[in-house]
Amino acid sequence: MKEPLILGIESSCDETAAAVIRGRMLLSDEIISSAAIQAQYGGVVPEIASRAHTDAIGEVVSRALRAADVGKEELDAVAVTYGAGLLGALLVGLSFAKGLAYSLKIPLIGVNHIRGHLAACYLEDETLKPPFVTLLASGGHTAILFAETETAFEILGGTRDDAAGEAFDKVARILGLPYPGGPHVEALAREGKNVVPMPKMLKGQGGYDFSYSGLKTHVINYAHTMSQKGASWSKADLACSFQHAALDILVEKTVEAAKEKGCDTVAAGGGVIANGYLRESLSAACERAGLKLVLPARRRCTDNAAMIAAEGLIQYRAGNFSPLTLNAEASIPLR
Ligand code: KG4
Ligand code: ZN
């Protein structure tokens, strides 16, 4: 059977992205980012994001088709993020996708952004099949999931307050680092040592749940107290110690969950999975536990359209198509 050719479109935050896949084979993966503009404001300004998407959407889709060497009339479906995200930003990608689907008479597939992050691993390993345990860590979510099939998963645990990426962004702000904080905290942490005492992370009774607000407050208080005292302290050591506390718990609980579920495979997705320290420690822990690990390439951990096309393929195979009346949604539950 011929594999479907799917265009994925993503515009939920500050990346305007388009990608083409044939089956699980990635043919192109293009991004036009407004992150550098947003960085001047210390975060994403919704109106600026919408304007940037409007300027970039036509160009990014053309680039993706060109790089894949396909004409739009060859497409079998258009998959697009319809939520969660900034409404104005989502509407740009969604309206564009609807226009394409209507004019080409092909199905529209509305994709839940978070499910997209989870589907990125399928592009990394074409042989990957559920069941497996997967770690989701992004700016809005932190959870451990048991993927029973490509479309059904059980939530084993999630964050009780902040998401891991959110904690990185807030710590970056305290340390005077630019938006988005994660990569900057990671770079600074590489220059420091894990020597600043950090609070205990949620274990035992907490099961597979996480809590990041205590860790974040601890880092804020430490930085303020040391500055007020005029004591000499190292931002790099604080970044490194925070990074260990924030990420070691993710590794520990993910491996524990895989063992409990009797899985031999672990996967992951979301912006925080781009973190080099996390990737190395998760790889080492999986190797020690005899688990196979499937990690999406770094650029497919942060927002991209290849993952939206990958989730689109799953929905295409399941026959889940969306009406052209599909609306953008600012927040949607994980499932
Ligand atoms: O998945 P993503 O691109 O967007 C959401 O759907 O939320 O994740 C963005 C989050 C941000 O909080 C960002 O600081 C974090 O992922 N992030 C990182 C790294 N790269 C991005 N966190 C830690 N280390 C990184 N290298
Ligand atoms: Zn995302």
Side-chain angles (χ1 to χ4, degrees), residues 10 12 113-114 117 138-139 270-271 301-304 307:
E10 154 67 32
S12 66
H113 180 85
I114 293 303
H117 276 301
S138 68
C301 291
T302 46
D303 291 348
N304 65 89
M307 69 182 200

Side-chain angles (χ1 to χ4, degrees), residues 118-139:
L118 293 169
C121 57
Y122 289 111
L123 295 175
E124 205 54 39
D125 180 345
E126 290 194 27
T127 66
L128 178 64
K129 272 202 188 87
F132 55 83
V133 159
T134 187
L135 169 65
L136 167 67
S138 68

Side-chain angles (χ1 to χ4, degrees), residues 118 121 128-136 143-148 154 156 208 250 253-269 282 286 291-294:
L118 293 169
C121 57
L128 178 64
K129 272 202 188 87
F132 55 83
V133 159
T134 187
L135 169 65
L136 167 67
I144 296 182
L145 309 158
F146 176 57
E148 291 160 289
E154 178 190 348
L156 301 177
Y208 297 115
L250 295 178
K253 291 198 178 191
T254 303
V255 171
E256 247 172 57
K259 284 184 185 162
E260 191 193 312
K261 282 289 175 185
C263 291
D264 59 5
T265 304
V266 165
L282 189 57
C286 285
L291 296 163
K292 175 180 159 178
L293 174 65
V294 180

